Amino acid sequence: MAFFTSFRALSIAGAVVVFLFYLLGGFWSFEPDTFNVKEAAIQEAKANNVDPVVGYTTTTTLIKVAEKLWDKPGGYLSNDIMPPSVFLDNIPAWEFGVLEMTRDLSLAMRQSFSRSQSQSSENKFLKSAQPKFNNDAHKWAFPSAESMYKKGVQDLYKYRNVLADPSQQGAQFYARADNLHDWLREVEKRLGSYSQRLSASVGRSQLNTDLAGDRNARQSTQGSPEYMVKTSWWKIDDEFYEARGACWALLHFLKAVEVDFADVLKDKNANVSLQQIIRELEASQATVWSPMVLNGSGFGLSANHSLVMANYISRANAALIDLRELLSKG
C-alpha cells in the first residue's frame, strides 16, 4: 500500500513538473516585439549626452537587435542543455535567423560602412566585434555563445562612443550609395536562400540552372539536369522561424538605413523602394494564430505558412533588387 501511495505521489509530482515546464516553454516561445529604431537611437544619444551623428542609428540598432538574443524571456536558448529549453526549437531557430542578419551587418560595418575606400584601415573596435558574432550558436561550454556575442556588443558600444565624439577621429561611418549597395547584395542572397528553402516545404521538381547564362561556365562535379527539392517534415517549422527571425532583424536594420542614408536615398529617388521592402517585412511578422506551422500542399484545404512567408520574402527581395539598381545608377 505504501508503495502505491509513493508511486501516486511521484506521478502527480512528475505531472506537475511537466505541466510547469510546458507553461514555461510556451512563455519563452513568444517572439520579441519590434521597436522604434529612431526613438531608440535618440534615447541612447540623450542618455550619453551626444548628438545622433550619421551611423549612430544603424550602430544602435545593431546593438539592440543583438541584445534581444539574450534580453528576452528565457534568455538565449539555442545552447541550453536543460529542460524545458532543450525541447524547444522554434525560438532557437528564430535566434539563428537574427544572428545570421547580425553577422552580415557587422561584417558590412567592418568592411564597408566604416571605411572610406578599399585601401583604408579597418576600425579596431569593429575588427574585434565582428568575429565574436561568428561563435558557434550552440556552444554552451566556455566560452559560451552568448558570452562572445556580449563581448561583440561591448565592442560596438566602444565604436559608437568614438563615432559620436567630435573630439576623436578614430571611428567613422560613411553613408554612401556604393557601401549600401554592397551590403544589400549580401542581403539579397540571404533572402533568396530563405525563399527557396521555404518554398521547398511542399516539394517540387526543379531544373538545374546553375550554369545558365554562360556557355563557358563550368562546375566542380556534374549535376543532375533535374532534381527534387523538399524540406524534411521535421525541419519545416525550423525553416519558418529562422526566416521569420531574419526578417525581424532585417526590418530594423532597414529602418535604421532609412535614417542614416536619408540623403543618399533621396538623391537616388529610392525611398519608395526601401519603404516597400519594409512593408513586406512587416507583413512577415504578422501573428501566427495556429499552434503549429501548417504545411498544406499547393492549393489544398489547409494553409501553408511556409509558402506565405516565402511570398513576403520574395516580394521583399524583388523590391530590394530594384533598390540596388537605383543605387548603382549615377
Side-chain angles (χ1 to χ4, degrees):
M1 187 68 177
F3 171 78
F4 288 108
T5 302
S6 300
F7 180 77
R8 181 182 179 186
L10 288 174
S11 299
I12 293 174
V16 170
V17 170
V18 170
F19 181 68
L20 291 176
F21 278 167
Y22 175 79
L23 292 179
L24 188 60
F27 176 65
W28 287 357
S29 294
F30 284 109
E31 303 162 52
D33 293 330
T34 57
F35 61 91
N36 189 313
V37 301
K38 191 173 183 178
E39 296 254 339
I42 292 174
Q43 290 177 4
E44 289 282 311
K46 287 183 178 178
N48 292 286
N49 196 27
V50 296
D51 293 325
V53 297
V54 172
Y56 196 90
T57 302
T58 299
T59 308
T60 299
T61 303
L62 178 58
I63 290 171
K64 295 300 181 185
V65 166
E67 287 179 338
K68 280 294 182 181
L69 289 171
W70 55 84
D71 188 19
K72 59 179 175 54
Y76 185 73
L77 303 178
S78 294
N79 61 352
D80 282 2
I81 58 175
M82 297 295 290
S85 313
V86 71
F87 300 117
L88 304 178
D89 60 349
N90 291 345
I91 284 297
W94 182 92
E95 290 173 346
F96 190 71
V98 173
L99 182 60
E100 287 283 74
M101 285 297 174
T102 300
R103 287 169 172 172
D104 288 347
L105 182 55
S106 64
L107 181 60
M109 293 271 288
R110 175 184 176 181
Q111 292 187 336
S112 298
F113 294 153
S114 63
R115 301 176 66 185
S116 60
Q117 51 188 323
S118 60
Q119 299 301 315
S120 59
S121 300
E122 294 179 310
N123 178 272
K124 63 179 181 179
F125 300 122
L126 296 178
K127 182 180 179 181
S128 175
Q130 182 265 325
K132 293 181 174 69
F133 291 114
N134 290 323
N135 197 40
D136 185 357
H138 302 287
K139 189 176 182 182
W140 60 270
F142 180 82
S144 65
E146 64 266 43
S147 68
M148 292 298 292
Y149 303 155
K150 289 177 180 178
K151 290 180 180 178
V153 166
Q154 291 172 3
D155 288 328
L156 291 177
Y157 273 116
K158 295 176 183 177
Y159 165 76
R160 193 187 67 177
N161 291 339
V162 178
L163 186 70
D165 189 346
S167 65
Q168 299 191 53
Q169 301 297 317
Q172 293 290 341
F173 185 99
Y174 299 97
R176 300 196 314 259
D178 60 332
N179 288 349
L180 182 57
H181 178 278
D182 291 344
W183 173 60
L184 292 178
R185 180 173 54 192
E186 300 306 315
V187 173
E188 178 187 325
K189 295 176 184 177
R190 186 75 67 185
L191 292 183
S193 175
Y194 284 129
S195 178
Q196 287 292 322
R197 288 155 57 186
L198 289 166
S199 299
S201 63
V202 294
R204 56 194 173 87
S205 179
Q206 182 169 306
L207 297 176
N208 191 329
T209 60
D210 294 344
L211 304 179
D214 187 349
R215 68 178 63 186
N216 295 317
R218 297 292 184 269
Q219 62 187 67
S220 302
T221 56
Q222 186 64 36
S224 301
E226 185 175 347
Y227 53 93
M228 177 63 68
V229 179
K230 183 173 177 60
T231 301
S232 167
W233 186 85
W234 298 101
K235 294 294 183 180
I236 288 173
D237 58 337
D238 295 342
E239 298 286 1
F240 177 85
Y241 279 100
E242 181 183 333
R244 192 169 164 92
C247 289
W248 182 89
L250 181 59
L251 172 62
H252 292 89
F253 295 156
L254 291 179
K255 287 184 176 181
V257 163
E258 194 174 20
V259 176
D260 285 329
F261 290 81
D263 292 338
V264 172
L265 295 170
K266 183 179 180 180
D267 179 65
K268 300 291 184 178
N269 197 24
N271 285 292
V272 175
S273 295
L274 178 59
Q275 290 167 4
Q276 182 61 37
I277 301 170
I278 290 173
R279 180 170 296 186
E280 298 297 342
L281 294 175
E282 286 175 337
S284 74
Q285 300 302 303
T287 303
V288 180
W289 296 105
S290 172
M292 62 183 297
V293 175
L294 298 180
N295 190 45
S297 58
F299 297 104
L301 294 175
S302 63
N304 187 304
H305 293 145
S306 297
L307 292 184
V308 174
M309 179 67 77
N311 174 63
Y312 290 132
I313 291 177
S314 296
R315 287 169 60 88
N317 207 17
L320 192 146
I321 293 172
D322 292 339
L323 175 58
R324 281 209 310 115
E325 290 180 353
L326 288 174
L327 292 172
S328 63
K329 294 178 180 179

